[in-house]
Amino acid sequence: MWDLLFNGFAEVLAPGNLIYLLGGVTVGIILGAIPGLTATMGIAMVIPLTLTLPPIPSLMMLMGAYKGGIFGGSIAAILLCAPGTSAAAATVADGHALAKAGKAIKALKISLTASVIGDTFSDIVLIFLAVNLARVALQFGPGEFTAVAIMALTIVGPASGKSLLKGLITAVGGLMLALIGLDPGTSLPRLTFDLNELVDGIALVPMLIGLLTIPEIMAQYEQRVKTVKAHIPPPTCKDDTRITRRDWKLMVRPMVSGSLMGTAIGIVPGLGPTLGAFMGYDAAWRQSKHREEFGRGSVEGIAGAESGNNSVSGANLVPLLGLGIPGDVEAAILVGAFLIHDLTPGPLIFQEAPNVVYGLYAGLLMANVLLYCIARGLLPTFTKAAGLRVTIIFPVMLVLCAVGSYAFNQSLFDVGVTFSFGLLGYALNKLNFPRATFLIGFILGPLLEDNFRRAMVISQGELHILFDSPLAIGLWIFTLISVSTILYSKWRQRQRVEALAPPQGQEAITEEEECSVSEENKGGYLRVSNFVLQLGGALVIFGFFLFCYLVVFPAQVETPGGFGVSALLFPNSLLFLGCLFSGLLALDHIRRRKDYGYSKMNYNAALRVCTYVAGMILYLLGLEYLGFMISSVVGILCFCILLGERKMAVVGPLAVLAPMAIYALFEFGLKVQLPAMPWVD
């Protein structure tokens, strides 16, 4: 083995091969940093460039793009609060909080270090334990996968913030929306409402961009002040730009646990780096002595999430090389790359082409070194780019997010999905519902339903199949321990908060606060009871779940060709839980009604939000009827003015040059045809 690995390094370090690996990593970082462009797209774009290459440089370039893309997503997550990839979603809160505190370089360095360490660990595990670990993954059946999915849902606990009930409600909502599409048992359309665009379900990338990015842009429009501030504040001291000794002490345990979690998840086919990120974040939260910092700029949270998602990238090659089973979408694309070169992934590849396998191993390790060096060199550039004025960067971000969601399937329907989930995310923010738990439920929905349904078919409806094997029993025990730990931790945290919090009256707004309003936001306020707002939100959600239970799903069953009564167990269970949790939340609001104060709603801010929503709708219509260039130029111009930018010498060139740059990137770089002017055709 050592001779083969040494020969692999010799081949990788050849100047020609090293250039291909370097190019793959660089392309991956850039694409991953752009919201809407994923590591999957990076690999897909690189494949045509590798058709004439030998197997080793071809695979190295593809894996370099994959590794660079996974890390690149954290750049946008930290600097723009817009994860470039779904795997970076767990990094958003803590990373962006540090960036807003003037510690963007520190956050990026923590992310990069944790990514490289987690990735390297999983690559070493791949080299030494590929075949043996693949045998463990082979033992997973529908019952075990169901237990894994339920266990993964316990991540909802630490991601729920102050209210566990709100986290559970949004998780159930995510699971519900994941039901849209083809029924896994009958392959018949389900909850598509005769829309062909929903047959394949709601795409993850448009949903992710809308849920996590658009609400942040809307918040900027709502809170606009007369003096425009920089989006990323500069560092205030030397420690804001480096990893201190205290940071290293905090990072060690999360990186170890995140690497272990991510590697284990990568070995199991179908789970992917997004789950690895949330599991690593969850493990960091459980081990931390400073849990109150999570979501507010926790070093441990970033280290756990980034080591968790990047350690999946090496481990997911275990089932690919050992069993011929791709661990995720990116690994599935790599299967095509193997087949292009007349290689079949699986146990026989170790005998038929050992030089290719160990060359790939060496390339994986070398890619981590190049990733660290390239990313460290580009961090100041990324930070300066993110330091542009809010009035400039957010209109361009809106166009880039719209085009990124369009490029995924080249469908304007996906752009509408992005804007719709943006409105949903904004409403969740206003009602203090966590968006991360919605994302967790949406990602885990297909895995949970598919395996639960298969388990029920195999056992003819008997639940004992979920507890038949020692492995499944161990997973369920771990889940119970996890839930108990979360409930106890939440209870202790609530006790501490109640002991330290001063008594609150109903009047939360003082005269001094009302007088400290900026000149830009004057224009009258509407005082709203927080109790009425929160109770109304809980009742609306309860009504939604009840409506689906009484009207939507029965109608779907009665429709000719519907998905059948036998398939109602899973959705009905979700609807019951949704009604239960939202009902309990409403009762909790009623019980604590005296603790709520009042919020003030500025008329001008509400008008700006409504204008922004109307602008999004008009921009979507413009893409359809005017094409990309005209609608984007006009859109950026109008959104800049709406946000308060009055310097036409800046707005004018920006409105023209930004769409031209985006057009060149997608049309000529990614070969994605953007909406053209209809009358030109």
Side-chain angles (χ1 to χ4, degrees):
M1 182 185 77
W2 293 107
D3 292 339
L4 291 171
L5 189 59
F6 179 79
N7 293 334
F9 272 107
E11 194 158 359
V12 168
L13 293 175
N17 294 341
L18 197 60
I19 290 175
Y20 289 116
L21 182 59
L22 181 67
V25 172
T26 305
V27 169
I29 293 175
I30 295 174
L31 291 182
I34 299 175
L37 302 184
T38 64
T40 305
M41 186 175 290
I43 296 177
M45 189 192 76
V46 169
I47 281 183
L49 305 177
T50 65
L51 296 178
T52 59
L53 297 178
I56 292 180
S58 171
L59 293 173
M60 285 193 305
M61 191 172 185
L62 293 170
M63 287 307 302
Y66 179 31
K67 288 175 177 286
I70 295 296
F71 165 72
S74 65
I75 296 175
I78 291 171
L79 298 180
L80 304 177
C81 196
T85 63
S86 59
T91 312
V92 170
D94 293 295
H96 192 60
L98 281 180
K100 290 192 295 184
K103 302 177 182 179
I105 292 291
K106 177 196 285 284
L108 289 171
K109 287 182 178 180
I110 292 170
S111 171
L112 177 61
T113 303
S115 298
V116 172
I117 290 177
D119 207 338
T120 303
F121 175 80
S122 69
D123 293 340
I124 294 173
V125 170
L126 169 67
I127 295 172
F128 287 98
L129 300 176
V131 177
N132 293 328
L133 291 178
R135 291 173 183 169
V136 176
L138 190 60
Q139 298 177 10
F140 277 69
E144 287 75 16
F145 271 114
T146 301
V148 168
I150 296 294
M151 180 183 69
L153 281 173
T154 61
I155 304 170
V156 168
S160 296
K162 295 181 180 179
S163 175
L164 181 60
L165 276 176
K166 289 185 175 181
L168 292 172
I169 290 171
T170 50
V172 172
L175 289 168
M176 286 291 302
L177 285 187
L179 297 175
I180 297 174
L182 295 179
D183 179 81
T186 63
S187 296
L188 294 172
R190 176 176 60 180
L191 302 179
T192 59
F193 305 101
D194 296 327
L195 294 175
N196 293 330
E197 293 86 354
L198 292 178
V199 170
D200 294 328
I202 297 175
L204 176 61
V205 171
M207 186 275 289
L208 180 71
I209 294 174
L211 192 67
L212 298 180
T213 305
I214 300 297
E216 300 300 326
I217 302 177
M218 293 181 68
Q220 291 292 333
Y221 280 85
E222 178 189 1
Q223 300 169 4
R224 189 188 70 179
V225 293
K226 191 171 184 179
T227 303
V228 180
K229 299 180 180 179
H231 183 51
I232 300 297
T236 57
C237 62
K238 190 175 181 180
D239 285 348
D240 288 350
T241 62
R242 66 180 183 178
I243 303 177
T244 63
R245 181 176 298 180
R246 177 181 181 274
D247 295 331
W248 277 110
K249 291 180 180 179
L250 293 174
M251 289 168 57
V252 171
R253 292 183 67 183
M255 285 193 298
V256 172
S257 57
S259 299
L260 291 172
M261 288 275 189
T263 301
I265 288 170
I267 293 168
V268 181
L271 300 185
T274 304
L275 180 58
F278 281 110
M279 291 292 283
Y281 188 84
D282 175 64
W285 180 84
R286 294 172 186 275
Q287 297 172 355
S288 176
K289 297 180 180 179
H290 309 282
R291 295 182 179 179
E292 69 282 355
E293 295 181 4
F294 278 69
R296 302 177 180 177
S298 170
V299 170
E300 296 167 285
I302 298 174
E306 288 300 307
S307 59
N309 64 29
N310 283 268
S311 58
V312 173
S313 62
N316 66 8
L317 295 182
V318 172
L320 178 64
L321 296 177
L323 304 172
I325 301 173
D328 57 10
V329 178
E330 288 78 12
I333 296 177
L334 290 177
V335 172
F338 275 100
L339 296 176
I340 289 173
H341 298 287
D342 296 325
L343 298 171
T344 303
L348 294 180
I349 197 173
F350 290 93
Q351 300 176 2
E352 297 175 351
N355 61 317
V356 174
V357 174
Y358 284 91
L360 177 61
Y361 288 165
L364 292 173
L365 295 173
M366 195 63 199
N368 295 331
V369 177
L370 292 178
L371 173 63
Y372 186 82
C373 296
I374 295 171
R376 279 296 295 264
L378 292 177
L379 290 185
T381 303
F382 282 119
T383 306
K384 290 178 181 178
L388 296 172
R389 293 200 301 272
V390 171
T391 52
I392 294 176
I393 195 170
F394 274 105
V396 177
M397 270 189 62
L398 176 67
V399 173
L400 193 57
C401 290
V403 177
S405 59
Y406 172 83
F408 187 72
N409 287 318
Q410 297 192 31
S411 169
L412 287 174
F413 181 83
D414 284 342
V415 182
V417 169
T418 296
F419 290 164
S420 299
F421 275 97
L423 296 177
L424 175 63
Y426 181 77
L428 292 177
N429 278 350
K430 285 298 180 183
L431 295 174
N432 298 319
F433 280 85
R435 291 172 289 168
T437 56
F438 184 94
L439 177 62
I440 293 170
F442 187 84
I443 292 172
L444 292 176
L447 176 70
L448 177 58
E449 183 191 13
D450 184 41
N451 287 283
F452 178 75
R453 293 272 297 273
R454 288 199 294 129
M456 292 300 98
V457 170
I458 292 173
S459 65
Q460 298 181 350
E462 298 292 335
L463 293 176
H464 66 78
I465 190 174
L466 303 178
F467 310 93
D468 275 352
S469 68
L471 183 58
I473 294 174
L475 291 171
W476 285 112
I477 292 175
F478 182 84
T479 301
L480 290 175
I481 295 174
S482 177
V483 171
S484 302
T485 303
I486 291 172
L487 293 176
Y488 177 74
S489 176
K490 290 285 184 181
W491 178 78
R492 287 293 304 272
Q493 184 177 2
R494 189 168 182 174
Q495 293 294 319
R496 288 196 296 267
V497 170
E498 290 179 353
L500 296 175
Q504 294 183 355
Q506 289 185 338
E507 296 294 330
I509 303 174
T510 64
E511 294 182 2
E512 181 180 354
E513 290 174 334
E514 291 186 354
C515 293
S516 62
V517 182
S518 66
E519 293 294 329
E520 176 71 17
N521 284 328
K522 282 186 177 180
Y525 286 89
L526 175 66
R527 196 168 71 162
V528 180
S529 168
N530 286 330
F531 167 68
V532 173
L533 186 66
Q534 295 293 331
L535 180 62
L539 292 178
V540 168
I541 295 172
F542 177 82
F544 167 77
F545 284 119
L546 188 62
F547 175 77
C548 289
Y549 184 80
L550 296 177
V551 178
V552 176
F553 277 89
Q556 185 76 28
V557 174
E558 295 171 0
T559 301
F563 58 91
V565 179
S566 61
L568 278 179
L569 177 61
F570 184 79
N572 277 353
S573 300
L574 294 180
L575 291 169
F576 171 77
L577 291 175
C579 291
L580 175 64
F581 295 147
S582 55
L584 290 175
L585 181 63
L587 293 176
D588 184 61
H589 287 324
I590 294 173
R591 181 180 64 86
R592 297 189 296 115
R593 60 186 179 276
K594 294 183 179 180
D595 297 333
Y596 291 100
Y598 293 86
S599 296
K600 52 185 180 180
M601 180 182 300
N602 179 262
Y603 292 136
N604 289 338
L607 180 61
R608 284 196 297 270
V609 171
C610 293
T611 306
Y612 177 79
V613 173
M616 289 196 299
I617 297 173
L618 292 175
Y619 179 62
L620 179 59
L621 294 175
L623 290 175
E624 175 72 28
Y625 296 106
L626 300 177
F628 168 74
M629 287 300 300
I630 295 179
S631 60
S632 296
V633 170
V634 175
I636 291 178
L637 185 65
C638 294
F639 283 124
C640 283
I641 295 174
L642 179 63
L643 196 54
E645 181 61 64
R646 297 291 187 264
K647 297 181 179 179
M648 297 307 297
V650 175
V651 174
L654 175 71
V656 175
L657 295 177
M660 290 178 62
I662 295 172
Y663 182 85
L665 172 64
F666 281 85
E667 286 276 355
F668 303 111
L670 301 176
K671 305 299 181 183
V672 174
Q673 186 175 359
L674 298 180
M677 293 178 289
W679 58 82
V680 172
D681 297 335

